[in-house]
Amino acid sequence: MVAQNPITGNSLRWTFRDGPMAGKSFDHVFNRNGGVTFREVGGDPNAKRGSADQYQVASLGQDVHTVAYLSPSGYTLTVVLDYKSRKLIAFASNEKSLTVQHGTFEPL
């Protein structure tokens, strides 16, 4: 994992406008050790935080970065983040389904 990107060591809030998570926001903390934790914002206050032991970041230029992780639920989430427009496109997949979702993001 390349440390010179705006994701590693930072926190981001993703808000989805369509797809299965339409209208929901999630805070993600991308730790420098390579792990990520996440939680729904405004959801069940007693809900357990999610986590993944590893995430990967690939940069496509100064403003476009991709991050992916495999959650314990079996879903792989791959998100393309455009830092110039603050828009995102996310692909969630497992052995049974593949969905595409659009939304926005902001640093926390």
Side-chain angles (χ1 to χ4, degrees), residues 18-32:
D18 62 10
M21 298 296 143
K24 294 184 179 185
S25 295
F26 296 85
D27 287 352
H28 285 73
V29 178
F30 295 95
N31 300 305
R32 292 198 177 279

Side-chain angles (χ1 to χ4, degrees), residues 44-64:
D44 179 356
N46 298 318
K48 184 181 174 190
R49 287 182 178 263
S51 66
D53 292 336
Q54 181 183 25
Y55 66 90
Q56 293 290 325
V57 177
S59 297
L60 299 171
Q62 183 177 347
D63 297 320
V64 180

